[in-house]
Amino acid sequence: MSEGFSRLYEKVKQYNKHCDFELLKEAFELSKAAHDGQQRISGEPYITHPVEVAIILAELELDCTSIIAGLLHDTIEDTTCTFEQLKGKFGEEIANLVDGVTKLGKIPYTTKEEQQVENLRKMFLAMAKDIRVILIKLADRLHNMRTLKYMAPEKQLEKAKESLEIYAPLAHRLGMSRVKWELEDLSLRYIDSKGYYELVEKIAKKRKEREAFIHDIMETLTQKTKEIEIDAHLDGRPKHFYSIYKKMYEQNKTIEQIYDLFAVRVLVHSVKDCYAVLGLVHELYKPMPGRFKDYIAMPKPNMYQSLHTTLIGHEGVPFEVQIRTWEMHRIAEVGIAAHWKYKEGKSNDGDLDNKLSWLRQLLEWQKEMRDAKEFMETLKIDLFTDEVFVFTPKGDVISLSAASTPIDFAYAIHSAVGNKMMGAKVNGKIVPLDYSLNNGDIVEVLTASNVHGPSRDWLKIVKTSQAKNKINQWFKKEKREENIIRGKEIVEKELKKNGLTYSQLFKPDWVELLLKRYNYNSIEDLYASLGFGGITINKVISKLKEEFKKTLKPEELEQFFEPVNNQKPEKKKKNIPENGIVVKGIENCLVRLSRCCNPVPGDDIIGYITRGRGVSVHRKDCFNVTNASDTAERIIEVSWYSANNVAYKADITVMANDRTALLMEITNVIGESRIPLKAINARTTKEQIAVMNLTLEIIDTEQLEKIIKKLKKVSGVFEVTRNKQ
């Protein structure tokens, strides 16, 4: 029996005498045999890694099944051992845990980021079935970070960033502060080595001063708690370099401005004692305004409970006191592991399931995401955000991500509330929808039955993935037909841009591969997703082009695709007029489009020779030209240049019965049509008629007519006209 396994054996024995030690030993022997001949980069036998992972799990006091899975966690991925072999020897439960930790290895991916996303998705799905998967993965990552010094510098940086962006936030969401702090401090050492060691040096210089200051406070508090007959244990709270580093560099603070450098933790036996000690502390020292937090009355979503208060000590030096029960302390250190439902053989724990509701929301949301980059960014936001606690008008507490908006609040209440939202009140006052909520705000959502659902602009405002998911679901469900049409238009436009036809790329076999790759049931689902932004057109076309290229001969490739390294032949430059107007018989003539009638391609036009300002182009029915006294002498023939990409400004007036959110709906219609809105001037008459003058940037009259038709369909709009003058 190796020294490592002996340590593991003793640790498990200390807290779980009922563990199946024979099975534990069998797992060790199988793992040792499977990894025989393999070495870590440090030169140590590979078996040292799974043993250390199992020891970390034992320090968290996990059940025997988790520790056995920890010993075996790399066998499927790195050895010839299979899932079926593990299942036959150790049972399905252990085999599933090992498989959940195993990365996807044999599926080809376009980018490294896409592969990382798929690995994370697999891990989250396994977590949803059994949360112990992530506990084993965190232990695996923690030991790898402890031995990161043996890896190449670029690998050190890659692993440190991933740990800081994904695994430390996961540990935080699971309430495992002990694992979180160590991952963060180890990551910082490699991400900013200079900053890390400078900080270590600064803190070391203040160590004696800090210890003397904290010792005086602890002596005073120990004596006073005894006087009021409270059994309290006091210690100096450990300092974690990453949290201090973050405050110094992100908030531009010096080390002297970091309050929690000086910190005391008080552990007591009951909640009543927590508040009694708080009262005592506030009697002895002056509390700093706005620096008290009651996480006992309002626990964090990751189960953390404690009282935090910052006080002014001797000579005006601030210090922090944290007060909690022993049970709260255990939960703060190991989080979800302290609530372990398998420990006592329980098969169902509703309380634990409630605490993991954020995981279910994350899984629900990520099913909609096909873009690897967007998934990673939103995952990081969703995992690594502070919380803000707000109240409903009835006094219920709602926990949201920091900087959340009233829209996030509405969707946290219910999808129906968010979909019917027309405004919000915070602390009795109407606020804009992008208002950032603060702790203690009382939020009231204003709804209306005639609201036609959320706006696409809300997706840019909301902070929580829950709200984004529910808004996207609404667009996906309510506007499916519209999304399909928009998706087809996007495909058609991209095909024209690439000089390809639908029949060339959209072969049934290729489309089938594409649908399978991105989990769509039909081509209509793909169009709908393109329409509401669930997948990008570049992803779709690039996959189909890959298949198309395989069918072409070398000489045909040059016909459809530009040579990669060959210099493109110079094309004869065409003299394309900048504003798209050709003046008959004259080249390089100064030409301007008149502002009085704003002609656009499709309009019948004439040119009017001005004095000193070239040719002014008007619509043929323009009042200013038809009524000019010298029209006949000054008229010149002009025409639209047919192959140009010039955009033109067109002025329209929209008249409608005034109502809430009317302007927002008008701009949404224009935005969804992908037409630039260059200017807007809106007013309401005494008769409650809304008059909106809009300047649009359009390509031709056909596009203008289409947008006018769409605007006429908006509820309340009774007239849309193009401005003649």
Side-chain angles (χ1 to χ4, degrees):
M1 196 182 289
S2 74
E3 182 191 337
F5 183 75
S6 298
R7 282 195 297 126
L8 173 63
Y9 187 92
E10 290 304 318
K11 276 198 180 293
V12 176
K13 201 173 177 182
Q14 285 172 16
Y15 72 91
N16 187 0
K17 291 177 182 176
H18 303 294
C19 177
D20 189 340
F21 290 102
E22 282 301 315
L23 199 64
L24 189 69
K25 189 176 178 184
E26 281 181 39
F28 168 72
E29 295 294 348
L30 187 144
S31 185
K32 187 179 179 184
H35 291 293
D36 187 38
Q38 294 180 356
Q39 283 189 327
R40 303 200 83 214
I41 297 172
S42 63
E44 294 177 300
Y46 195 89
I47 187 62
T48 57
H49 171 64
V51 168
E52 289 300 324
V53 169
I55 287 171
I56 292 169
L57 295 170
E59 287 168 351
L60 295 170
E61 299 191 0
L62 286 182
D63 60 318
C64 201
T65 301
S66 301
I67 292 163
I68 290 170
L71 281 170
L72 300 167
H73 80 275
D74 274 337
T75 52
I76 294 177
E77 187 177 339
D78 294 333
T79 76
T80 56
C81 194
T82 65
F83 175 86
E84 293 303 325
Q85 286 174 317
L86 288 186
K87 182 180 172 183
K89 194 167 181 66
F90 298 100
E92 191 169 5
E93 189 180 11
I94 288 172
N96 282 333
L97 284 173
V98 175
D99 186 55
V101 180
T102 303
K103 293 196 287 289
L104 299 165
K106 296 174 184 176
I107 302 173
Y109 291 98
T110 309
T111 64
K112 190 171 183 180
E113 193 165 43
E114 197 174 314
Q115 186 172 20
Q116 185 188 23
V117 168
E118 293 307 320
N119 283 326
L120 286 168
R121 278 182 171 153
K122 178 179 184 284
M123 187 176 74
F124 283 125
L125 285 168
M127 278 170 65
K129 293 175 188 171
D130 194 329
I131 195 67
R132 289 176 293 183
V133 166
I134 193 57
L135 303 185
I136 297 165
K137 188 65 188 174
L138 285 171
D140 171 50
R141 178 51 62 112
L142 182 55
H143 184 250
N144 281 333
M145 289 301 294
R146 286 174 180 175
T147 55
L148 198 61
K149 64 182 177 182
Y150 298 106
M151 298 193 87
E154 62 274 11
K155 272 286 179 189
Q156 288 176 344
L157 190 61
E158 182 190 320
K159 293 292 179 189
K161 280 184 176 177
E162 191 181 50
S163 296
L164 199 59
E165 293 174 351
I166 303 294
Y167 292 99
L170 261 174
H172 171 69
R173 289 303 298 261
L174 295 168
M176 303 169 71
S177 63
R178 190 194 299 172
V179 174
K180 177 205 171 193
W181 291 126
E182 190 174 352
L183 282 173
E184 288 179 337
D185 286 355
L186 288 168
S187 298
L188 179 61
R189 191 184 298 178
Y190 297 99
I191 289 171
D192 185 358
S193 183
K194 187 181 176 184
Y196 174 82
Y197 287 109
E198 278 180 5
L199 183 59
V200 170
E201 189 181 342
K202 285 177 184 175
I203 290 174
K205 283 179 182 176
K206 286 182 161 284
R207 186 177 174 184
K208 284 186 180 177
E209 173 195 337
R210 189 171 65 249
E211 284 179 351
F213 179 84
I214 292 296
H215 179 73
D216 289 345
I217 292 167
M218 285 171 60
E219 271 199 342
T220 304
L221 288 178
T222 301
Q223 183 187 336
K224 293 295 182 182
T225 50
K226 281 179 181 175
E227 286 177 13
I228 59 173
E229 297 180 347
I230 288 178
D231 180 16
H233 172 80
L234 287 87
D235 60 21
R237 187 171 69 81
K239 309 301 171 296
H240 301 289
F241 297 120
Y242 181 72
S243 65
I244 297 166
Y245 172 92
K246 223 176 148 192
K247 287 174 184 174
M248 284 177 64
Y249 289 89
E250 287 187 4
Q251 299 174 23
N252 199 24
K253 289 184 175 181
T254 64
I255 199 159
E256 288 76 19
Q257 293 172 301
I258 308 295
Y259 299 143
D260 58 2
L261 266 181
F262 300 93
V264 175
R265 182 179 290 143
V266 184
L267 302 177
V268 293
H269 294 285
S270 69
V271 172
K272 185 178 79 171
D273 288 347
C274 289
Y275 288 101
V277 171
L278 177 70
L280 175 68
V281 167
H282 283 184
E283 279 181 26
L284 294 168
Y285 303 97
K286 189 175 181 181
M288 285 183 68
R291 298 282 304 175
F292 168 66
K293 290 171 185 171
D294 187 346
Y295 294 121
I296 293 178
M298 290 190 293
K300 289 188 176 186
N302 65 1
M303 302 165 290
Y304 179 85
Q305 286 185 288
S306 188
L307 297 175
H308 290 199
T309 185
T310 304
L311 309 121
I312 304 296
H314 310 303
E315 299 175 7
V317 177
F319 68 98
E320 187 185 56
V321 174
Q322 294 182 356
I323 309 160
R324 62 179 76 146
T325 66
W326 284 96
E327 177 63 15
M328 290 172 191
H329 181 59
R330 190 165 72 92
I331 292 168
E333 291 287 297
V334 298
I336 207 78
H339 285 256
W340 199 243
K341 59 183 177 182
Y342 297 93
K343 242 181 212 178
E344 296 169 18
K346 294 179 185 176
S347 59
N348 188 19
D349 186 341
D351 184 47
L352 183 65
D353 289 340
N354 289 336
K355 289 177 171 68
L356 294 174
S357 60
W358 64 270
L359 174 59
R360 286 196 301 276
Q361 289 168 8
L362 180 63
L363 284 169
E364 184 186 345
W365 171 79
Q366 63 89 23
K367 286 176 190 171
E368 303 294 326
M369 294 305 302
R370 266 86 186 179
D371 187 89
K373 190 173 180 182
E374 189 177 351
F375 174 82
M376 289 300 293
E377 287 306 311
T378 310
L379 175 65
K380 290 167 192 174
I381 292 165
D382 199 58
L383 284 178
F384 209 5
T385 51
D386 293 326
E387 292 84 28
V388 61
F389 298 95
V390 295
F391 296 92
T392 68
K394 291 182 179 179
D396 296 324
V397 179
I398 303 292
S399 169
L400 298 166
S401 302
S404 285
T405 66
I407 304 172
D408 293 288
F409 175 87
Y411 280 103
I413 300 297
H414 198 278
S415 302
V417 176
N419 292 340
K420 291 292 180 184
M421 184 179 190
M422 58 173 281
K425 285 183 179 180
V426 174
N427 304 324
K429 294 180 180 177
I430 290 177
V431 295
L433 293 180
D434 61 354
Y435 172 86
S436 289
L437 297 173
N438 299 304
N439 276 317
D441 280 346
I442 300 169
V443 187
E444 182 185 350
V445 179
L446 306 175
T447 60
S449 56
N450 62 346
V451 172
H452 300 299
S455 159
R456 286 186 184 277
D457 292 336
W458 290 6
L459 290 167
K460 299 171 189 173
I461 297 172
V462 294
K463 304 297 179 188
T464 60
S465 60
Q466 181 186 15
K468 281 183 183 176
N469 177 40
K470 288 181 177 179
I471 293 168
N472 273 325
Q473 278 180 346
W474 188 89
F475 281 110
K476 187 178 177 183
K477 185 180 175 184
E478 300 294 325
K479 297 200 172 184
R480 179 175 167 79
E481 294 305 317
E482 190 180 315
N483 287 329
I484 289 172
I485 293 166
R486 188 184 293 115
K488 286 179 178 178
E489 287 173 356
I490 292 168
V491 168
E492 191 180 332
K493 188 177 177 183
E494 192 66 19
L495 286 170
K496 282 182 182 175
K497 184 177 165 186
N498 283 271
L500 296 164
T501 66
Y502 187 90
S503 59
Q504 283 172 326
L505 284 198
F506 282 76
K507 305 279 186 192
D509 291 348
W510 303 347
V511 170
E512 190 64 32
L513 283 171
L514 187 71
L515 297 178
K516 275 185 183 176
R517 180 71 188 82
Y518 292 109
N519 301 316
Y520 292 111
N521 295 321
S522 66
I523 189 72
E524 283 75 22
D525 288 346
L526 176 64
Y527 286 141
S529 187
L530 279 167
F532 76 82
I535 189 171
T536 61
I537 186 61
N538 289 339
K539 243 181 183 25
V540 174
I541 296 296
S542 63
K543 293 285 180 193
L544 294 173
K545 276 166 79 173
E546 280 174 26
E547 297 299 324
F548 181 51
K549 282 181 181 180
K550 292 174 189 175
T551 68
L552 298 176
K553 295 173 184 176
E555 59 271 19
E556 290 176 320
L557 274 170
E558 289 187 21
Q559 181 187 342
F560 291 103
F561 303 101
E562 290 179 8
V564 179
N565 296 316
N566 298 343
Q567 191 175 355
K568 286 194 283 184
E570 278 190 25
K571 290 183 181 178
K572 188 180 177 183
K573 289 185 180 177
K574 292 182 181 178
N575 189 17
I576 300 172
E578 188 181 336
N579 52 17
I581 299 291
V582 177
V583 181
K584 189 176 180 181
I586 305 174
E587 282 191 18
N588 300 321
C589 172
L590 179 64
V591 178
R592 64 183 181 87
L593 299 173
S594 68
R595 289 294 297 157
C596 60
C597 57
N598 289 327
V600 296
D603 287 335
D604 290 331
I605 52 174
I606 54 173
Y608 182 83
I609 302 168
T610 65
R611 290 185 174 89
R613 289 186 298 162
V615 175
S616 173
V617 178
H618 296 256
R619 283 158 51 183
K620 279 189 176 177
D621 60 355
C622 179
F623 179 85
N624 289 336
V625 175
T626 55
N627 286 278
S629 58
D630 55 354
T631 298
E633 299 85 37
R634 291 177 178 269
I635 289 296
I636 189 168
E637 192 177 330
V638 293
S639 61
W640 297 105
Y641 184 76
S642 58
N644 69 81
N645 295 311
V646 183
Y648 302 86
K649 288 180 181 176
D651 294 327
I652 61 172
T653 298
V654 180
M655 299 186 74
N657 296 314
D658 193 29
R659 61 176 174 82
T660 305
L662 173 65
L663 184 59
M664 184 175 70
E665 283 190 40
I666 295 288
T667 55
N668 280 348
V669 168
I670 295 167
E672 287 170 8
S673 300
R674 292 178 169 79
I675 292 176
L677 175 60
K678 307 308 287 184
I680 185 166
N681 187 340
R683 68 185 191 280
T684 305
T685 67
K686 291 178 183 177
E687 294 78 23
Q688 294 302 299
I689 300 296
V691 181
M692 287 162 275
N693 297 314
L694 312 172
T695 301
L696 308 177
E697 196 169 79
I698 55 101
I699 295 168
D700 53 27
T701 50
E702 187 182 348
Q703 189 184 33
L704 184 61
E705 284 164 11
K706 277 184 183 177
I707 191 64
I708 287 173
K709 280 181 185 176
K710 285 184 180 180
L711 290 171
K712 284 179 178 178
K713 290 178 183 177
V714 174
S715 176
V717 173
F718 57 82
E719 188 178 304
V720 183
T721 54
R722 180 178 170 190
N723 298 350
K724 299 257 181 182
Q725 299 295 328

